[in-house]
């Protein structure tokens, strides 16, 4: 066996293919051509016309197509189909999805090969929700891809234009117009507009709105708790209308007077009280809702202390309200974790009968409704 030389492991590189059109790439090279390219002196002289012909070579358009193809592989609409998308992915699919250039040559698929039908660029201009996938060679609705999960009659699964690429170009206009009228598509468009406005900070997000409302409620609830601790009435003779922080001539209820006084040193509260929008959370109905909420929180804390104690006893008495309805006052006496004797009021219980069975049932049901553990 003859020994192989190290030069046998290498082949001579010729750059002739990069300078010729695509039709000449399959042509065979003659031995004379290889000898000329192996000659260093002649190779140098060949480089000059090669560099001068780059601007006129089809490789420039090939490079542009490769760049466009790389961008399509990154933001192609088919990559967002049936995926768990982050907010950044949703924004990319809605605003930065890949779109072909007007000079893009749409390929033929096997389904439309006989008729020679292709995707038309003008459809992208006619339907702003339409997106073309170069990977799937089909069309999608970018709004429905992101926001539509089910639709159709009876919430049937979505297929064409949403989960699958649409490529029946013969029925393209008919399908696109029909899709534009679907209820789930209209809902997806509204969700997309709302999402983009929030994502671009044109509107406050839901979390920011909740934080703002919470900041408005804090001083109002604190004033309500202050009135409760001091055992003073909240509402007076005039307890409605807009609050002017700097107007002390109006003598309304204690709750509004405390808010007016506090608003002089709290710019955020002052802005909330003097603005013209509707919801200020200072009306009589919202006051009652806050009182009920505070009562529920206090009751839960008392019930927790009762359940943590080793034993408790029940204190009950009958009382009649202003409408002459019989009520049972339910209180509990217990020993807390620090061995202190505590007596706390739980609730009023409406009773329809004053018999022993009715009262005992009312007491047990009242304790259970409060969350007191009655199983021993």
């Amino acid at each position: 066996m003859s020994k192989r030389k190290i030069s046998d492991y290498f082949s001579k590189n010729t750059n002739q293919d990069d300078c010729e059109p695509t039709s000449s790439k399959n042509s065979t090279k003659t031995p004379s051509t290889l000898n000329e390219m192996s000659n260093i002196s002649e190779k140098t002289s060949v480089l000059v016309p090669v560099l001068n012909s780059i601007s006129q070579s089809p490789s420039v358009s090939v490079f542009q197509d490769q760049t466009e193809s790389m961008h399509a592989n990154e933001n192609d609409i088919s990559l967002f189909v049936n995926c768990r998308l982050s907010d950044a992915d949703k924004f990319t699919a809605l605003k930065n999805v890949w779109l072909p250039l007007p000079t893009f040559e749409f390929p033929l698929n096997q389904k439309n090969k006989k008729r020679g039908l292709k995707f038309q660029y003008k459809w992208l201009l006619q339907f702003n929700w339409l997106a073309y996938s170069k990977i799937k060679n089909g069309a999608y609705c970018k709004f429905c891809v992101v926001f539509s999960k089910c639709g159709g009659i009876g919430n049937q699964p979505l297929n064409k234009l949403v989960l699958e690429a649409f490529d029946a170009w013969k029925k393209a206009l008919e399908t696109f117009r029909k899709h534009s009228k679907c209820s789930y598509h209209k809902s997806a468009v509204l969700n997309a507009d709302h999402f983009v406005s929030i994502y671009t900070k044109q509107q406050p997000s839901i979390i920011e709105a909740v934080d703002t409302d919470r900041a408005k409620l804090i001083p109002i609830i604190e004033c309500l708790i202050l009135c409760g601790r001091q055992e003073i009435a909240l509402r007076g003779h005039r307890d409605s209308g807009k609050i002017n922080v700097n107007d002390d001539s109006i003598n309304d209820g204690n709750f509004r007077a405390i808010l007016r006084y506090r608003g002089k040193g709290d710019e955020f509260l002052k802005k909330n009280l003097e603005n013209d929008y509707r919801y200020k959370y200072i009306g009589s109905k919202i006051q009652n809702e806050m009182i009920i909420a505070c009562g529920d929180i206090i009751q839960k804390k008392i019930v927790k202390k009762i359940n943590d104690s080793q034993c408790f006893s029940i204190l009950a008495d009958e009382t009649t309200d202003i409408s002459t309805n019989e009520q049972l006052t339910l209180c509990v006496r217990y020993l807390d974790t620090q061995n202190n004797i505590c007596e706390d009021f739980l609730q009023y219980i409406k009773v329809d009968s004053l018999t022993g069975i009715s009262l005992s049932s009312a007491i047990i049901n009242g304790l259970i409704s409060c969350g007191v553990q009655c199983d021993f």
Side-chain angles (χ1 to χ4, degrees), residues 227-255:
C227 293
R229 286 179 176 176
Q230 296 304 118
E231 298 182 1
I232 56 178
L234 272 71
R235 293 186 282 274
H237 180 65
R238 296 180 180 178
D239 201 71
S240 62
K242 184 178 179 181
I243 295 179
N244 189 354
V245 174
N246 297 322
D247 187 7
D248 296 330
S249 61
I250 301 176
N251 187 14
D252 45 14
N254 296 321
F255 176 76

Side-chain angles (χ1 to χ4, degrees), residues 304-315:
K304 186 179 184 303
K305 292 180 181 180
I306 296 172
N307 292 331
D308 292 340
S309 64
Q310 296 181 359
C311 59
F312 64 91
S313 61
I314 301 169
L315 303 176

Side-chain angles (χ1 to χ4, degrees), residues 159-177:
N159 293 318
K160 298 298 183 182
L161 290 171
V162 183
L163 300 179
E164 298 177 4
F166 174 81
D167 55 0
W169 309 131
K170 179 182 177 181
K171 302 180 180 179
L173 289 177
E174 179 184 354
T175 304
F176 295 160
R177 290 167 182 166

Side-chain angles (χ1 to χ4, degrees), residues 227-367:
C227 293
R229 286 179 176 176
Q230 296 304 118
E231 298 182 1
I232 56 178
L234 272 71
R235 293 186 282 274
H237 180 65
R238 296 180 180 178
D239 201 71
S240 62
K242 184 178 179 181
I243 295 179
N244 189 354
V245 174
N246 297 322
D247 187 7
D248 296 330
S249 61
I250 301 176
N251 187 14
D252 45 14
N254 296 321
F255 176 76
R256 291 168 64 91
I258 295 174
L259 282 178
R260 183 183 294 107
Y261 178 76
R262 181 169 179 172
K264 293 181 180 180
D266 190 341
E267 291 296 330
F268 183 80
L269 177 60
K270 179 180 178 181
K271 182 179 179 180
N272 180 39
L273 296 175
E274 295 183 347
N275 273 339
D276 294 331
Y277 51 77
R278 181 178 179 182
Y279 300 102
K280 295 184 175 66
Y281 308 106
I282 59 175
S284 59
K285 292 184 178 180
I286 193 67
Q287 291 176 21
N288 294 335
E289 292 178 3
M290 290 179 183
I291 292 173
I292 294 173
C294 291
D296 293 339
I297 294 173
I298 295 173
Q299 187 183 81
K300 289 180 180 179
K301 291 183 178 180
I302 295 174
V303 169
K304 186 179 184 303
K305 292 180 181 180
I306 296 172
N307 292 331
D308 292 340
S309 64
Q310 296 181 359
C311 59
F312 64 91
S313 61
I314 301 169
L315 303 176
D317 194 5
E318 181 269 338
T319 184
T320 305
D321 61 6
I322 193 173
S323 59
T324 67
N325 290 324
E326 293 289 341
Q327 288 183 335
L328 188 67
T329 305
L330 184 61
C331 300
V332 177
R333 180 183 176 92
Y334 61 95
L335 193 68
D336 63 6
T337 55
Q338 298 179 356
N339 296 326
N340 296 322
I341 298 176
C342 302
E343 292 183 4
D344 289 319
F345 166 79
L346 284 180
Q347 65 174 351
Y348 289 108
I349 302 174
K350 184 179 179 181
V351 292
D352 298 326
S353 177
L354 297 179
T355 62
I357 296 176
S358 299
L359 292 176
S360 60
S361 299
I363 292 173
I364 295 174
N365 293 332
L367 292 174

